[in-house]
Amino acid sequence: MDSLQEVCEKVLALINPSKEEVDKVGALVEALKAKASEEALKLGFEADPQVYGSFAKGTWLSGEADIDLFLRVPAHVTRQEMAEKSLKIGEAVVEALGGHWIKRFAEHPYVEGWIEGIRVNIVPCFRVERGLWLSAADRSPFHTEYVMARLKEDGKSQVRLLKRFMKGIGVYGADIKTGGFSGYLCELLILRYGGFKEVLEAARSWRRGFIIDLEGYYEGRKDDARKIFPEPLIVVDPVDEGRNVASAVRPNRLGEFMAAAGLFLDRPSMRFFYPPPRIRLTSDEFSSTLSKRGTCWILILFAPLEVVPDVLWGQMYSSLRAISRFLRNQGFNVLREAAWSDEGRLNAFLVELDRRTLPKARLHLGPPVTSKESHAFLAKYLKNEDTISGPWIHGNRWVVLLKRKRIDAVELIREVFKTKASIGIRSKIAEAMDRHLEILTDGEITKAYSRSEGLATFLMDFLVGRPPWLWED
Amino acid sequence: MDSLQEVCEKVLALINPSKEEVDKVGALVEALKAKASEEALKLGFEADPQVYGSFAKGTWLSGEADIDLFLRVPAHVTRQEMAEKSLKIGEAVVEALGGHWIKRFAEHPYVEGWIEGIRVNIVPCFRVERGLWLSAADRSPFHTEYVMARLKEDGKSQVRLLKRFMKGIGVYGADIKTGGFSGYLCELLILRYGGFKEVLEAARSWRRGFIIDLEGYYEGRKDDARKIFPEPLIVVDPVDEGRNVASAVRPNRLGEFMAAAGLFLDRPSMRFFYPPPRIRLTSDEFSSTLSKRGTCWILILFAPLEVVPDVLWGQMYSSLRAISRFLRNQGFNVLREAAWSDEGRLNAFLVELDRRTLPKARLHLGPPVTSKESHAFLAKYLKNEDTISGPWIHGNRWVVLLKRKRIDAVELIREVFKTKASIGIRSKIAEAMDRHLEILTDGEITKAYSRSEGLATFLMDFLVGRPPWLWED
């Protein structure tokens, strides 16, 4: 077993950019800024190009440089003008530098370009005073400034280690799909605790509602912060006391980070930073493993959605929860559920039940024996073909044993989708299901296993149900 | 449909004793008292024979006269002397009058005799002042005196109606088996509400913790009474404010009484007083009805116990609850359970589950990811042949999907009894089971159905699961 220091040194050698890489990205940054100024001037548009984000702060990982070029426009510019002109500038800049681009949407449309293998986001924001935010991106300059003023050279390496660790265990990224930790959050954690190891040590004792408040905005009134921020981890934004930098972190991601932190500290290993390749089962192996476990899988495959990833995943997770909730309300025991998408051709929901059918009989609790509803209850169940036993009296309530009409989960799900019953499937997902929908179980799932590499990996991961960093060395 | 008055008149004609019957029982009472005085004198024992109970109060039902002959002895007599001498007197009295007797046990041993088809209990008690009770029977003279002083002639008929109604619906009797209403309780209810109909009307609006307090002991402090008496119905004893006359009434019996009261008032019928004969299924009909319902019955037959009924039923109910609790803790869904005994040759427990087996897999919630127990948990489940999936992280806890080892309820119950695992079976029941035990399910139960008339009725009642007074006319 390597020591923690040895592992960290190995990782740092892989993630700290070389002087050549820094110079190369630096040159691109300068070219981007110059070109953007030139294009803004052409349009007669006052837009100050600045680079914020991980490049500016020096916390990017070798081979993964992302350049965030912000076009800062005066506050009096209309949103429409800002959007239109910054798109034009962005497109022209990327093209002039020999790259290609696509239009992306966040709060505003923006340009995502690729130049010499480096991703460049060209994003407009308003030049405002701190606190007088007009758009979400307006905070970025202040974030960059805050970190740059405080993060020492060694701190940058520590941020890189933390980011790589989080990427390795799958908790990095504040996007909806991941629901994890942003880069800025990593930087604040290093500022708070001093180093990578110290963050992991601290994470071992975080409790629900733990507060990190670098600027002491909630000094002496932590309960106020907990009322304002409902999330399990609270990291007050040093440039905006009304914002939780960790608001995107979902409970499972937080738990995974805390679990991995503890295990890594006890047994340091490269696999936390670079997950080992997954074991891949053959179709036959998959099939026999699946049939042996004795549970019931329901795989729902459906057509792609033409929406940005955050919208896709927002609707995916919400619709998946609706399906689980529906099955639970019907009496099924949902063990786990998961969503998968290749963000282009195929989407999937997977639900695991402890068994496919419900018991044929169920107790039905009636009204109190002295209530007015007694007569209606007795009229309904005394002569009813679904009544198996009773009614009898338990305590002060009527009880009857009834035959259950629908006992098969797969049939029930098929019927729900066929009749388009309202169970909470979101609109875009429902539309996609109208275009193409398959509901598979048992042996049918093995066929889907051979259909797509991504889907097979998803099914394998679900079968194993264990984070890769937990696999034995 | 007869009116309520018509039904009551029909019933009264059946239950009010004729003058001949009153005279016959009265003559027996006088003979008993005279003989008892004579026997006491012979023994040189100061024991004043008095008749209390329903005969003294004139609230007994035609054909069901019970004579409670109390031998009142001075408070200075030792319990042993009281017991020995009163037994001797009792035996001599019954034999002198040509009856036969057996020794029964309550707080003290006593003589239960049968003379000319009439049951006679000869019971010792101490002559004490009110409140200075030395034995439970000491209150009887005061109860009788209280009722006699207040109950008018018409009230006696009303008490009889109420008793017959309670017998008809199966809630009469403060014995452990029944857990219902005593005769004294019926009398107090009539004193409180004035008549049979009025008691039923009042019962429709009883709520948990309803208090009847004829002497106003808890006037203005009803919550105190509810703290002292945990039972669902509280009827403060007019001769002892520390005693709830309804303490024996179990919640199901109370619910049944309240339900039947409401239904009877809405649709008066003789069947509430005299339950219709049960439909009896043939063995084949029983078998096919049972197999169609799709649930799982487990019938446990065992040897008789040589104990008095109250001890038998106390141990029966408590052991039955233990079996249900055990099955529920194992994850089974117990729909209903019941105990049966012919109080002599055979005893039975019957449990109905919604199905016989548990799912093959179960989620097991582990410790919080940051707890010290994490390592032990992972060591146990990462390489474990029972681990189907995981461990993974849900919120801040480890979770693992495990193979369930024992999934068959019948096998589990057989194993528990074979290994004599401690699940709460009471001692006398366990001893009886050592002598003879059968655990039957499905088709095996049909064989038992043909074995005993009483058992067959019990199984039929369970199958129907509906009080006889609920059957349609």
Side-chain angles (χ1 to χ4, degrees), chain A residues 252 266 355 357 375 389 395 463, chain B residues 252 266 355 357 375 389 395 463:
Chain A
N252 285 4
D266 293 337
R355 50 185 159 190
T357 59
H375 284 283
S389 266
L463 197 70
Chain B
N252 285 3
D266 294 335
R355 49 185 159 192
T357 58
H375 284 282
S389 266
L463 197 69

Side-chain angles (χ1 to χ4, degrees), chain A residues 203-207 251-252 254-260 262-263 266-267 292-295 333-336 352 354-355 357-363 369-371 374-375 378 381-383 387-396 398-399 401 404 462-467 469-472, chain B residues 203-207 251-252 254-260 262-263 266-267 292-295 333-336 352 354-355 357-363 369-371 374-375 378 381-383 387-396 398-399 401 404 462-467 469-472:
Chain A
R204 294 182 99 164
S205 57
W206 288 346
R207 295 284 172 266
N252 285 4
L254 180 61
E256 282 157 9
F257 174 64
M258 290 162 69
L263 293 178
D266 293 337
R267 295 187 62 188
K292 255 188 294 185
R293 57 200 277 142
T295 60
N333 187 12
V334 178
L335 300 174
R336 274 188 306 164
E352 182 166 32
D354 65 356
R355 50 185 159 190
T357 59
L358 293 174
K360 286 179 193 151
R362 70 185 176 93
L363 286 184
V369 294
T370 47
S371 72
S374 268
H375 284 283
L378 293 174
Y381 292 111
L382 272 174
K383 289 178 175 172
T387 297
I388 298 174
S389 266
W392 67 84
I393 290 146
H394 184 78
N396 72 333
W398 290 105
V399 186
L401 186 64
R404 219 189 279 260
F462 196 87
L463 197 70
V464 174
R466 182 180 294 183
W469 47 267
L470 250 191
W471 294 2
E472 297 291 293
Chain B
R204 294 181 101 164
S205 57
W206 288 347
R207 295 283 171 271
N252 285 3
L254 180 60
E256 282 157 10
F257 174 64
M258 291 163 69
L263 293 178
D266 294 335
R267 296 188 61 188
K292 256 188 291 184
R293 56 200 277 141
T295 61
N333 187 13
V334 179
L335 300 175
R336 276 189 304 164
E352 181 167 32
D354 65 356
R355 49 185 159 192
T357 58
L358 293 175
K360 286 178 192 152
R362 68 182 178 95
L363 286 184
V369 293
T370 48
S371 73
S374 269
H375 284 282
L378 293 174
Y381 293 112
L382 273 173
K383 289 178 176 174
T387 298
I388 299 173
S389 266
W392 67 85
I393 290 146
H394 185 78
N396 73 333
W398 289 106
V399 186
L401 186 65
R404 220 189 279 260
F462 196 88
L463 197 69
V464 173
R466 184 181 292 183
W469 46 270
L470 249 191
W471 294 2
E472 297 293 294

Side-chain angles (χ1 to χ4, degrees), chain A residues 83-157:
Chain A
E84 280 171 10
K85 293 201 171 149
S86 62
L87 276 176
K88 272 192 194 157
I89 295 169
E91 293 162 21
V93 165
V94 176
E95 282 173 9
L97 294 173
H100 61 276
W101 57 270
I102 53 169
K103 202 164 121 183
R104 289 276 193 195
F105 294 85
E107 190 179 342
H108 303 293
Y110 67 95
V111 165
E112 179 179 302
W114 292 87
I115 304 168
E116 297 167 39
I118 295 169
R119 191 168 62 175
V120 182
N121 296 310
I122 303 176
V123 181
C125 70
F126 292 103
R127 185 189 299 114
V128 293
E129 275 180 57
R130 201 182 110 174
L132 304 173
W133 322 116
L134 293 175
S135 77
D138 302 349
R139 288 187 193 85
S140 293
F142 295 91
H143 290 164
T144 300
E145 188 190 322
Y146 185 88
V147 173
M148 283 176 76
R150 286 159 183 83
L151 196 66
K152 307 276 187 309
E153 203 50 40
D154 177 60
K156 295 176 187 177
S157 292

Side-chain angles (χ1 to χ4, degrees), chain A residues 15-272:
Chain A
I15 59 174
N16 273 340
S18 63
K19 184 161 186 321
E20 292 71 37
E21 194 178 358
V22 175
D23 288 348
K24 184 192 154 190
V25 180
L28 178 57
V29 162
E30 290 311 314
L32 283 165
K33 283 164 72 172
K35 195 69 201 164
S37 292
E38 192 186 313
E39 292 296 329
L41 205 62
K42 263 195 222 166
L43 289 172
F45 184 55
E46 194 186 332
D48 175 27
Q50 292 292 344
V51 167
Y52 305 118
S54 64
F55 177 80
K57 294 177 278 190
T59 57
W60 51 287
L61 307 192
S62 172
E64 301 179 19
D66 265 8
I67 300 174
D68 296 324
L69 180 69
F70 285 78
L71 303 175
R72 272 186 120 182
V73 306
H76 63 75
V77 173
T78 65
R79 281 163 182 268
Q80 197 186 346
E81 188 187 358
M82 176 182 88
E84 280 171 10
K85 293 201 171 149
S86 62
L87 276 176
K88 272 192 194 157
I89 295 169
E91 293 162 21
V93 165
V94 176
E95 282 173 9
L97 294 173
H100 61 276
W101 57 270
I102 53 169
K103 202 164 121 183
R104 289 276 193 195
F105 294 85
E107 190 179 342
H108 303 293
Y110 67 95
V111 165
E112 179 179 302
W114 292 87
I115 304 168
E116 297 167 39
I118 295 169
R119 191 168 62 175
V120 182
N121 296 310
I122 303 176
V123 181
C125 70
F126 292 103
R127 185 189 299 114
V128 293
E129 275 180 57
R130 201 182 110 174
L132 304 173
W133 322 116
L134 293 175
S135 77
D138 302 349
R139 288 187 193 85
S140 293
F142 295 91
H143 290 164
T144 300
E145 188 190 322
Y146 185 88
V147 173
M148 283 176 76
R150 286 159 183 83
L151 196 66
K152 307 276 187 309
E153 203 50 40
D154 177 60
K156 295 176 187 177
S157 292
Q158 298 297 309
V159 170
R160 288 195 188 97
L161 274 175
L162 183 57
K163 283 186 179 180
R164 184 66 250 168
F165 183 85
M166 288 189 169
K167 285 183 188 210
I169 62 167
V171 304
Y172 185 78
D175 55 294
I176 305 284
K177 180 185 179 182
T178 309
F181 297 70
S182 66
Y184 178 49
L185 178 51
C186 289
E187 289 153 0
L188 295 182
L189 289 174
I190 294 297
L191 286 178
R192 167 68 183 79
Y193 293 109
F196 168 65
K197 189 183 153 204
E198 289 74 16
V199 171
L200 301 196
E201 277 166 353
R204 294 182 99 164
S205 57
W206 288 346
R207 295 284 172 266
R208 215 198 133 70
F210 188 84
I211 298 171
I212 292 170
D213 182 12
L214 285 158
E215 294 300 311
Y217 293 126
Y218 296 90
E219 196 68 50
R221 50 188 196 100
K222 289 200 166 181
D223 282 343
D224 288 356
R226 289 194 185 97
K227 271 175 209 151
I228 298 167
F229 308 115
E231 295 89 3
L233 177 63
I234 300 164
V235 180
V236 183
D237 192 341
V239 310
D240 183 350
E241 69 185 76
R243 185 173 169 265
N244 175 12
V245 182
S247 65
V249 181
R250 283 200 296 268
N252 285 4
R253 290 300 93 75
L254 180 61
E256 282 157 9
F257 174 64
M258 290 162 69
L263 293 178
F264 173 77
L265 289 171
D266 293 337
R267 295 187 62 188
S269 159
M270 288 293 280
R271 75 171 184 281
F272 289 90

Side-chain angles (χ1 to χ4, degrees), chain B residues 168-185:
Chain B
I169 62 167
V171 304
Y172 185 79
D175 55 294
I176 305 283
K177 179 186 179 183
T178 310
F181 297 70
S182 68
Y184 178 50
L185 178 50

